[in-house]
Amino acid sequence: MNIQDMVLEYLRESPDPVSGQEMAEKLRTTRNSIWKAVQRLRQAEYEIDASTNRGYRLISESSVLSAENIRRRLNQVAQGVAIDVRPQASSTNTVLKELAEKGGREGMVVIAEHQDQGKGRLGRSFFSPKGLGLYMSVLLRPDFPAEQSLAITTAASVAVAGAVDKLTGQRSQIKWVNDVYLQGRKVCGILTEAALDFESGRLNYAVLGIGVNVQAPSGGFPEAIRNVAGAIFPGEAPAGARAWLAAEILNRFFEIYRTLPDRTDYMAEYKARSLLDGMEVTLRQGSAKWEGKVLGVDEEARLIVRLPDGKRKVFGAGEVAIVKKDFLNKLHNKEKGLDE
């Protein structure tokens, strides 16, 4: 047990204020180490009071990103999930895929304070700084054909967007097919990885990964993503925001997921939030390239594009990629109200 955990346990067992000197002596460390541990606990949203000549007292843990604080906010549909909050993980998706291969049950949820190798789509990395985001993966064992697996991602997008709206009071949008944007900035990426049972044609399991930028880094986002990344709170996030957000996403997602693939009404919300509608985009598949105006998204989450010759063409998720630089230029111009 590290000094931070030891200090927390000591404070939990002490109904009265405890001096830094007393804890230092009992835990066989220095007062400076005690002070640093308390500061780290406060950063992790433990509410600790400090009074001169009296010492430290643990006031509340209700805002901490913990399994208990998330679970008590879950509705009946999501109550069966098993939540594991970790201080660090290579990638929450990687952890859950390993557990899935060992027979892990549906509803296992892994959340990390920090990821060393956070995953994005198309082999990209996902920026996962400690304490500033929600990095969460959910293990699913869906009972429907693999070709309908995109419903997991679209349902998750709607769930995240709704949760972000409720927390911020703003209106978020979905960039086809799996990114959530707020005020023209990407605040969430969603990655679903799955294993196929070739004999049945169904999924053996799926791991749904959700990464949300809750609070912006003090020094700004890294140069590589600075033009696109944003956070749902540009300044300091409210106490308990990450635990609340995790529970709200799980509640909303499982309300849809439990009725898939039969339920499709949530796609109306997905389409209504489409960020790309009306935008001129460039799409690429290998050496092939198309340019056109996005007309919307259909019931199968395919992008509908009007080509320069006036014909309509639909593109399925995974078939093409939107050229990032071209998209960002057009998005920023759209946000500024500039005509192209």
Side-chain angles (χ1 to χ4, degrees):
M1 185 180 295
N2 60 39
I3 186 63
Q4 182 175 318
D5 292 336
M6 293 167 67
V7 168
L8 176 60
E9 195 63 30
Y10 201 95
L11 291 174
R12 280 173 172 162
E13 295 175 355
S14 304
D16 299 319
V18 184
S19 71
Q21 184 61 40
E22 178 184 334
M23 277 196 287
E25 292 174 357
K26 294 289 185 180
L27 300 180
R28 297 182 179 180
T29 185
T30 64
R31 289 185 62 179
N32 188 50
S33 295
I34 298 296
W35 182 86
K36 289 181 178 179
V38 169
Q39 302 315 305
R40 289 194 294 269
L41 288 169
R42 284 173 168 168
Q43 290 172 3
E45 300 188 76
Y46 289 89
E47 187 178 351
I48 300 174
D49 182 44
S51 302
T52 305
N53 299 325
R54 296 191 66 195
Y56 300 108
R57 185 164 68 95
L58 180 62
I59 304 298
S60 174
E61 301 181 47
S62 62
S63 296
V64 177
L65 181 62
S66 66
E68 179 183 2
N69 283 339
I70 296 169
R71 192 175 294 111
R72 65 187 177 87
R73 293 178 170 94
L74 296 178
N75 60 23
Q76 189 172 359
V77 177
Q79 275 294 335
V81 301
I83 302 171
D84 178 5
V85 179
R86 305 183 176 195
Q88 181 274 337
S90 57
S91 156
T92 55
N93 265 30
T94 298
V95 171
L96 266 190
K97 284 194 293 182
E98 293 173 353
L99 292 173
E101 294 291 348
K102 296 176 182 178
R105 70 173 180 85
E106 177 168 275
M108 296 180 73
V109 178
V110 172
I111 299 174
E113 284 277 0
H114 165 67
Q115 295 182 117
D116 294 328
Q117 301 169 36
K119 291 183 177 182
R121 286 187 71 230
L122 306 176
R124 302 188 184 106
S125 61
F126 188 87
F127 181 57
S128 312
K130 183 177 180 180
L132 299 182
L134 175 65
Y135 318 119
M136 174 172 70
S137 294
V138 185
L139 175 57
L140 305 168
R141 294 195 181 275
D143 186 25
F144 48 79
E147 58 265 25
Q148 294 178 305
S149 60
L150 183 61
I152 294 171
T153 302
T154 52
S157 300
V158 170
V160 171
V164 167
D165 287 7
K166 189 170 181 179
L167 187 58
T168 64
Q170 302 181 57
R171 175 74 172 176
S172 59
Q173 293 178 283
I174 300 171
K175 174 185 167 288
W176 184 81
V177 61
N178 63 338
D179 293 333
V180 176
Y181 275 62
L182 187 65
Q183 295 188 335
R185 294 281 173 168
K186 178 180 173 180
V187 297
C188 172
I190 297 170
L191 174 66
T192 304
E193 299 181 281
L196 179 65
D197 184 331
F198 288 99
E199 291 186 6
S200 67
R202 292 176 175 266
L203 295 179
N204 183 15
Y205 66 81
V207 172
L208 169 65
I210 298 171
V212 185
N213 300 326
V214 176
Q215 182 176 316
S218 58
F221 287 95
E223 184 66 32
I225 60 173
R226 192 162 293 172
N227 287 336
V228 63
I232 61 176
F233 295 105
E236 186 174 350
R242 291 184 300 155
W244 188 97
L245 183 64
E248 189 68 15
I249 291 172
L250 291 171
N251 287 339
R252 290 170 179 267
F253 172 73
F254 278 105
E255 283 179 354
I256 301 173
Y257 173 74
R258 299 299 188 199
T259 61
L260 294 178
D262 298 327
R263 179 179 176 181
T264 59
D265 61 322
Y266 74 93
M267 279 302 299
E269 182 69 17
Y270 183 94
K271 292 189 287 184
R273 291 181 180 272
S274 176
L275 175 69
L276 299 181
D277 283 12
M279 287 185 63
E280 298 284 344
V281 297
T282 303
L283 301 108
R284 178 169 291 148
Q285 181 186 44
S287 59
K289 187 170 71 172
W290 297 267
E291 294 182 353
K293 184 176 183 178
V294 176
L295 302 180
V297 179
D298 68 13
E299 290 295 326
E300 298 177 31
R302 297 178 302 181
L303 198 66
I304 308 169
V305 179
R306 185 172 64 209
L307 302 177
D309 61 7
K311 293 182 180 179
R312 294 188 178 192
K313 186 174 177 64
V314 295
F315 296 90
E319 295 178 350
V320 295
I322 296 172
V323 176
K324 184 177 179 180
K325 184 176 181 180
D326 177 74
F327 160 71
L328 290 179
N329 288 337
K330 290 182 168 64
L331 176 62
H332 293 162
N333 284 341
K334 180 180 178 181
E335 291 297 314
K336 295 174 183 177
L338 300 178
D339 294 327
E340 296 188 69

